[in-house]
Amino acid sequence: MIDEIVRRQIEDLHTRYIRAIDDDRLEHWPALFTEQCVYKIMTRENYDRGLPLAVMDCRSRGMLEDRVTGLRKINVFEPQRYLHQICGLSIDGIEDGAVRCRSNYLVVRTMAEGAMSIFSAGIYLDRIVLEPSGPRFEERIVIADSRRIDTLLVIPL
Amino acid sequence: MIDEIVRRQIEDLHTRYIRAIDDDRLEHWPALFTEQCVYKIMTRENYDRGLPLAVMDCRSRGMLEDRVTGLRKINVFEPQRYLHQICGLSIDGIEDGAVRCRSNYLVVRTMAEGAMSIFSAGIYLDRIVLEPSGPRFEERIVIADSRRIDTLLVIPL
Amino acid sequence: MIDEIVRRQIEDLHTRYIRAIDDDRLEHWPALFTEQCVYKIMTRENYDRGLPLAVMDCRSRGMLEDRVTGLRKINVFEPQRYLHQICGLSIDGIEDGAVRCRSNYLVVRTMAEGAMSIFSAGIYLDRIVLEPSGPRFEERIVIADSRRIDTLLVIPL
Amino acid sequence: MRQYTPGSRTPGDTIVGMKEPLLEWPAVGVTRSPYRVMSDPEIYAQEQQRIFRGPTWNYLCLEAEIPHPGTFRTAFIGETPVIVTRDKEGGIHAMVNRCAHKGAMLCVDPCGKRDTLVCPYHGWAYDLQGKLRGVPFQHGVAGKGGMPDGFDLTQHNLERVHVQSFYGLIFGTFSTTAEPLQTYLGPAMIDHISRVFHKPIEVLGYHHQVLHNNWKLYMENSRDPYHATILHTFYATFKLNRLTMDGGILVDHDGWHSINYSKGATLREGGGEYESGIRSVVEDVGLADPSLIHRKQEFDDGITVAIQSLFPSCVNQQIYNTLALRNVVPQGPLQCELHWTFFGYRDDTPELREMRLKQSNLIGPAGYVSIDDGVIGEYVQRGIAGTGIDASAVMEMGGHEVASTPGSRATEATLRGFWTGYRALMGL
Amino acid sequence: MRQYTPGSRTPGDTIVGMKEPLLEWPAVGVTRSPYRVMSDPEIYAQEQQRIFRGPTWNYLCLEAEIPHPGTFRTAFIGETPVIVTRDKEGGIHAMVNRCAHKGAMLCVDPCGKRDTLVCPYHGWAYDLQGKLRGVPFQHGVAGKGGMPDGFDLTQHNLERVHVQSFYGLIFGTFSTTAEPLQTYLGPAMIDHISRVFHKPIEVLGYHHQVLHNNWKLYMENSRDPYHATILHTFYATFKLNRLTMDGGILVDHDGWHSINYSKGATLREGGGEYESGIRSVVEDVGLADPSLIHRKQEFDDGITVAIQSLFPSCVNQQIYNTLALRNVVPQGPLQCELHWTFFGYRDDTPELREMRLKQSNLIGPAGYVSIDDGVIGEYVQRGIAGTGIDASAVMEMGGHEVASTPGSRATEATLRGFWTGYRALMGL
Amino acid sequence: MRQYTPGSRTPGDTIVGMKEPLLEWPAVGVTRSPYRVMSDPEIYAQEQQRIFRGPTWNYLCLEAEIPHPGTFRTAFIGETPVIVTRDKEGGIHAMVNRCAHKGAMLCVDPCGKRDTLVCPYHGWAYDLQGKLRGVPFQHGVAGKGGMPDGFDLTQHNLERVHVQSFYGLIFGTFSTTAEPLQTYLGPAMIDHISRVFHKPIEVLGYHHQVLHNNWKLYMENSRDPYHATILHTFYATFKLNRLTMDGGILVDHDGWHSINYSKGATLREGGGEYESGIRSVVEDVGLADPSLIHRKQEFDDGITVAIQSLFPSCVNQQIYNTLALRNVVPQGPLQCELHWTFFGYRDDTPELREMRLKQSNLIGPAGYVSIDDGVIGEYVQRGIAGTGIDASAVMEMGGHEVASTPGSRATEATLRGFWTGYRALMGL
Ligand code: FES
Ligand code: FES
Ligand code: FES
Ligand SMILES: [Fe+3]
Ligand SMILES: [Fe+3]
Ligand SMILES: [Fe+3]
């Protein structure tokens, strides 16, 4: 039975995560993960069929940093923001030192000229380690309900 | 004044509820209700005008089980998933042994080929009994803001 | 470090806020603010560019009451409801007696004939004072991600 | 995928510079219907003009919904918004929900009570018969401005819809040359309406369901006896309705209208295909709470399921003890909205009322029976996308005729009847 | 209900194989306008060609928004995306926001600062006048490939928009035969522009509002004196604006443009319909914080509310101390987007600036006055759905003429003027 | 901005009362393409008829996706839904996913295993070759109703799509007069397909990406060597692909198809524009985890990037060790959906499989290289909105010819080839 203090710490980690993305402070996003982390965005279609292809497939904090570099300096895309809604956090156990938990997410994307849309909805499957400096994501698997991506995906979910 | 332990128990019940639906583990959904339960989906239009017609109108756990049977074995519909967002849980009092509470819900529906839409948004009006085995819904009235149902409703909200 | 009791009080204030709006009990909405309050709805576009124009710009509780009068007695608009989703409350410090906090919001608007849409998504930037009678908003700045308003805005966000 | 704009083409589009012919109907006649009629915007615009503004009677609402003087309800005839009112003397009137000045919708609320209909835009005021009664600043201000001499209020009434009420059902038409309502309906339809509406009813609630298919696909579905016991597995599995019960179909007015009925108590075990393993009978499935399908025999004719489909867009249904009217509102070639009005009788016992409400789980957007109809029209709409020019639906079940067959429901005569009416009005 | 695709029909559609005539205008002339012009895609496509690409001057932006060399702003002329730039020498230029190579949009940002305009797709680079300056790999790689001999950069500049700036307002036209801007505007319009823009302004913010109605319904609304004090209950109730004040309307250029003004200090109690119980005056209602409508008399002509409507799609408004330009961007026959530019003067005192911002509660998508206009056009659009071919709006208030009436606002002359311009350009 | 309705116009629209000519192609020929072809609904409807239902071979799916008897997969040819099956004997068949009775879609699931294809609506049952095998109640009930004598099941099979499989790629055509597949492809295309599909592949996953542009804008992009190293900054910056590598383009069948390839090991430092400061090379940027772009040389021809574009709508790509097929499904003039099928070889080592998956970060909707292509077509679609009737894209890079240039990629010959095929089929 995980106590409430840990739960609050994990909720705060989730809040820092959505802040970093929704405020466009993505440079702070990789630090929420451990050095040897996994961050994947998968569609429900591939995930359920056991197909390994991911939409975004990062296997180190460096690859997260490179995603920020790509977004800041490399790729061409229309200016856009995300707004997260998350709920239903459950803490589902401890596994070799990491807390397994999951939650529901919804991302509304807003384009510069004002168009809003439900860009993605699905679940977060997390492994979180409680370091002295606070909790970090050792693994976050994002499973998007829809197999479709509208236009492109450049900001992490 | 309901204490935080009860609140957490009720939050966990809500989380198990959205998991059962969003994960398509609907066979686990009826057990979240008492044997003699009420589960209704009403539109705001009928509810506010005092009209008794509901979109879904279950008056026993058996009728919940039959809804799962219908969905699994009987009805024809396009494959689809729900993703819930809930918030604003308030505990509004005790009434002959049951806790009255309510919350806001939002359901995003995603079709197999990827189309996402806001399928329903509204409130849950609940009566929850705290059994030794944990809390259960004695009554859940879902009041949907919209009078419209897009295409059909086969998965409970 | 703000303790959990205060956090719960602030969460309850947020819940009362969305109830007053989503239940169309707007007459209860001004009382959630202090007499000398600020309530503004700004678009991200103006806010980020340092332009002072707001969509709604109230500088006293009286101006909030006048907004309710306008909605009830003055303006012509299609009947509609809001449904809020909020999450990610963070308490970011104390500032001359007021608690600074913020959260994410999403408002789904439903028209009388049933059309639903994502009407607004963004953040709440709050200054909340803890009065003996409970917490109140001294300031709420709503920053909407989209620069567009669909049709009109008459119900506060 | 919700893509076309209701109202983006007024019928006029198709009059000025109209393409003739819109299509060639297959020579074999009403055993075929070309898929193009389900998607072509040009044809859709023509339907607004020739069917909904033509010599048809369109269901508007129930008298029970406008019980008192001054009460009103809004409705649609095709895409055209309509107001139905009861005036001070109790008379019933209908008019287009469009101000005669500059076109603003007068009533946004679906129902209510009013002394006069006042337009929000410039305040033109109409009485409950749609007659213009007041024009703000008609005489200007301080002798300046205002309407010119000879401005005649009587020339600016709301566009009138002719109404006739029959057993409490209010129908309307734009046409001055339409047959009388009862002639339009015909004797068999009249009998069935009187059967259901012989005593005061009470509305128990509404459903509104958006269908992503052409309005005609729903109307075909509503009068199709063939699909009922195959698509609707619930019917066949729990024996609410099978073709191996006594039942039949009745058509009227050259088949424009139809009734499809069955008698639950007459089921013959065996026979038909139900035991030969078609998917419509699911093995090893039961109801944990069978009280759902307990029924009370309300009508002494023994009919337990009866679907009456009135051209162009109204359905009057009895499924066990559920009674409802369904009205289809077209919203472009690829979408329509189905409005359900669920009712009982004012003298229902509490037990019967509860039974109706419990059985409401059978119908509506979440009904065990009707769920399937919510998507099947969309499946057709998606199936016919990109079809070649000559692709057509086939309707030969029961032969090539359009006639009542009291003893049999293994027929598509009711569909051939729909297309008979459609072709007559559309000139196709 | 967001259904038509801007850009899905290029004007060309209607040239090749165009249906003539698009419609017959009612014989009585501009006291009527057929509702079809508010919804027909064919007519909409024609408007893009004949009005927005025709001999009209279209408001683009303010000089104050491109103050420095290299600053730019994007805008629209009808559906066509446009870039407005200030070059190194301070000259102002406008061009279509479409690369001359394969059509990519050059500037996605609404404003900014650039030395050159570089296309993201293949890197073609244009100077701030829209002249093509560089083509990557023009000469190929290692002597292979590249542009053919005789490829002439000067033949591939961005499509030019002719601009004229007047008191800091930048207008553009595609037409080489358009009258000079000042002739197009006319003396009364010029006077009013100079009245408002006589000293340096400062932009205080923007609003963007999506309206679910044809762009012309908004332009009619903007110049309609009749609705102002009836629809806008706030005006009449709190006496910001009533027809029983001194005021009038001025038209110019055959009525293509208009001004509708009133003088708050001249209100005559009584008179008009305001005391006779029309809904536009709400009894027993007050403001808990009346500071909202405290005003400062800025202009010595005593005018407190003035709405100037410039054909085809620009509005210049003063409501008390709120100053704003509104520009309508058509987005298909059934939708448009209203862009508000709210401003004050650079020399405003802090108190006056605060007053403008507090009064901003009167205007915009949430303004006590303008909220009503956000939906009324949609009510018209929905009211006219499914109309018969001949249905038309009626505009006889103030007679049948198009003329200024300095003493009266009980008139629709300004609307008749709009349709005069529309018919002239559309050949209807 | 998702606005047009797939299926709302069947090709028939454009046959009956068709406007001729749809447009005049610029006299200079394929160095220009008029922007109207990217947005006109009439032209779009014609493409469905003349291109997708015409003498073209359309990629459907991989044999590896229907490995066993009874397995099926759904696909699209243009807007038409199609089912591809493998029958009991292992034969491959394709048919329209539309019931021959009344048009319902037969298979909703994207893939699966079936003995027969049973329609949900009335239970008509088809075998895996699309032949009608059963009609419920064909003989009525108790001797009443049912199909008339002479109803012939063989006349009601599913509409057939002719298929040919080549190296495990299944192509289909509606046309009985289409050339054989290999003639349609041509020798260079055949060589390249055999190069990639010379041994058993394994599907590793799918992407589905909605693009808000006409389908042809994506197909142009896929075969455009010019944009590759300019738009795709990642290519040039990290030297995955530059025009200063050895590489070339090959075209076949008059340029209908093309391949654009480069050899990473042959990069010449300097040369080209890459050092002259075009935006496609970002200074001072590196990868924190460069393992992303470690590659294994799989093919002995030294080619590291190769994009093969097959008319009308299929792309076969190799970018480093990522292998994928892309298929474009048109969804109206302004939208299309891109289906990615990512694969490796069945004999891949675990290390190579991991390398492919890590490199999958380069492609798809979130790929460092392909992100840019997700929006550039939309930028064009928005850039060309409201264009004048004669506006056209310019394609003169590499001259005016359509020919392979093994030594150079500074050319748009591949695009001129696309328009050569388009004009031939569309009669423009
Ligand atoms: S539109 Fe109704 S009064 Fe003017
Ligand atoms: S489209 Fe602009 S450079 Fe090619
Ligand atoms: S539509 Fe397929 S069986 Fe009738
Ligand atoms: Fe049915
Ligand atoms: Fe107004
Ligand atoms: Fe590319």
Side-chain angles (χ1 to χ4, degrees), chain C:
Chain C
M1 167 64 192
I2 310 285
D3 68 13
E4 291 296 315
I5 286 76
V6 171
R7 186 182 179 86
R8 164 73 59 229
Q9 286 185 321
I10 290 172
E11 286 173 356
D12 292 345
L13 178 66
H14 280 64
T15 300
R16 292 202 304 281
Y17 180 95
I18 64 175
R19 288 271 189 284
I21 294 172
D22 296 355
D23 288 356
D24 192 23
R25 295 185 292 96
L26 283 158
E27 287 68 14
H28 296 71
W29 171 68
L32 303 174
F33 290 77
T34 57
E35 187 63 43
Q36 299 308 325
C37 61
V38 170
Y39 174 76
K40 283 191 195 193
I41 300 172
M42 298 196 69
T43 60
R44 174 64 62 177
E45 179 185 47
N46 288 336
Y47 184 82
D48 283 354
R49 290 167 66 176
L51 297 169
L53 182 67
V55 177
M56 216 182 251
D57 191 337
C58 301
R59 294 106 179 275
S60 69
R61 190 192 283 167
M63 289 184 77
L64 300 183
E65 291 161 0
D66 292 336
R67 279 291 177 179
V68 179
T69 303
L71 183 148
R72 295 288 187 227
K73 300 186 172 176
I74 303 288
N75 287 118
V76 170
F77 55 92
E78 187 172 2
Q80 55 190 273
R81 305 181 68 88
Y82 286 173
L83 193 285
H84 279 74
Q85 287 289 327
I86 53 178
C87 79
L89 171 67
S90 67
I91 293 174
D92 302 333
I94 305 277
E95 200 170 74
D96 32 297
V99 181
R100 285 189 303 94
C101 51
R102 75 173 262 193
S103 45
N104 282 13
Y105 77 88
L106 173 65
V107 170
V108 172
R109 181 178 66 178
T110 303
M111 309 309 274
E113 96 290 356
M116 288 185 280
S117 63
I118 298 177
F119 182 62
S120 186
I123 61 171
Y124 291 132
L125 291 181
D126 302 327
R127 289 169 44 80
I128 293 170
V129 289
L130 305 170
E131 297 182 349
S133 60
R136 291 179 199 273
F137 293 106
E138 186 175 83
E139 177 176 278
R140 165 156 277 192
I141 310 293
V142 184
I143 301 169
D145 282 356
S146 176
R147 72 183 204 177
R148 269 190 199 148
I149 302 286
D150 184 286
T151 310
L152 57 82
L153 185 148
V154 68
I155 304 172
L157 290 174

Side-chain angles (χ1 to χ4, degrees), chain A residues 45-46 51-55 57 59-60 63 66-67 69 75-78 147-153, chain F residues 2 204 206-210 212 233 279 282 285 287-289 337 354 361 365-366 368 371-372 374 379 382:
Chain A
E45 179 184 47
N46 288 336
L51 298 169
L53 182 66
V55 177
D57 191 337
R59 294 107 178 275
S60 69
M63 288 183 78
D66 292 335
R67 279 291 178 178
T69 303
N75 287 118
V76 170
F77 56 92
E78 187 172 2
R147 72 183 205 177
R148 269 191 200 148
I149 302 285
D150 185 285
T151 309
L152 57 83
L153 186 148
Chain F
R2 327 274 171 265
L204 300 177
Y206 301 93
H207 293 305
H208 301 270
Q209 184 175 8
V210 174
H212 300 288
T233 305
R279 68 160 271 293
V282 180
V285 62
L287 293 173
D289 187 340
E337 187 167 317
E354 278 309 292
N361 285 290
Y368 284 112
I371 279 174
D372 315 313
Y379 282 179
R382 288 158 63 177

Side-chain angles (χ1 to χ4, degrees), chain B residues 52-121:
Chain B
L53 182 66
V55 178
M56 215 182 250
D57 191 337
C58 301
R59 293 105 178 276
S60 69
R61 189 191 283 166
M63 289 184 77
L64 300 184
E65 292 162 0
D66 292 336
R67 279 292 178 178
V68 178
T69 303
L71 182 147
R72 295 287 187 228
K73 299 185 171 177
I74 304 287
N75 288 117
V76 170
F77 55 92
E78 187 172 2
Q80 54 191 272
R81 304 181 68 88
Y82 287 172
L83 193 284
H84 280 74
Q85 286 290 326
I86 54 178
C87 79
L89 170 67
S90 67
I91 293 174
D92 301 334
I94 306 277
E95 203 169 72
D96 30 296
V99 181
R100 286 189 302 94
C101 51
R102 74 174 263 194
S103 45
N104 283 12
Y105 77 88
L106 173 65
V107 170
V108 172
R109 181 178 67 179
T110 302
M111 309 308 275
E113 97 291 355
M116 288 184 280
S117 64
I118 299 177
F119 181 62
S120 186

Side-chain angles (χ1 to χ4, degrees), chain F residues 54-92:
Chain F
T56 55
W57 283 99
N58 297 271
Y59 170 74
L60 298 178
C61 68
L62 290 163
E63 284 200 41
E65 297 179 283
I66 50 170
H68 312 298
T71 52
F72 73 88
R73 200 188 182 311
T74 59
F76 288 89
I77 297 179
E79 286 188 351
T80 307
V82 166
I83 313 170
V84 189
T85 64
R86 189 180 292 268
D87 67 22
K88 301 258 181 309
E89 292 68 41
I92 294 169

Side-chain angles (χ1 to χ4, degrees), chain F residues 109-141:
Chain F
D109 298 333
C111 57
K113 195 164 188 314
R114 300 271 169 86
D115 297 330
T116 54
L117 303 171
V118 179
C119 181
Y121 206 167
H122 309 88
W124 285 26
Y126 304 85
D127 66 22
L128 295 169
Q129 302 186 18
K131 294 200 171 55
L132 180 60
R133 295 303 187 183
V135 171
F137 302 107
Q138 178 177 359
H139 306 299
V141 176

Side-chain angles (χ1 to χ4, degrees), chain E residues 319-333:
Chain E
I319 294 175
Y320 273 31
N321 300 102
T322 66
L323 303 173
L325 286 158
R326 309 176 201 161
N327 192 47
V328 182
V329 180
Q331 297 178 336

Side-chain angles (χ1 to χ4, degrees), chain E residues 46-101:
Chain E
Q46 278 295 309
E47 293 169 349
Q48 295 300 313
Q49 183 83 317
R50 299 189 178 192
I51 294 176
F52 294 105
R53 295 184 73 86
T56 55
W57 283 99
N58 298 271
Y59 170 74
L60 299 178
C61 67
L62 291 163
E63 283 200 41
E65 297 178 283
I66 51 169
H68 312 298
T71 52
F72 73 89
R73 203 191 180 310
T74 59
F76 288 90
I77 297 179
E79 286 188 352
T80 307
V82 167
I83 313 169
V84 189
T85 64
R86 190 179 291 269
D87 68 21
K88 301 260 182 306
E89 293 67 40
I92 295 169
H93 309 277
M95 47 227 115
V96 174
N97 191 359
R98 180 183 74 241
C99 182
H101 175 221

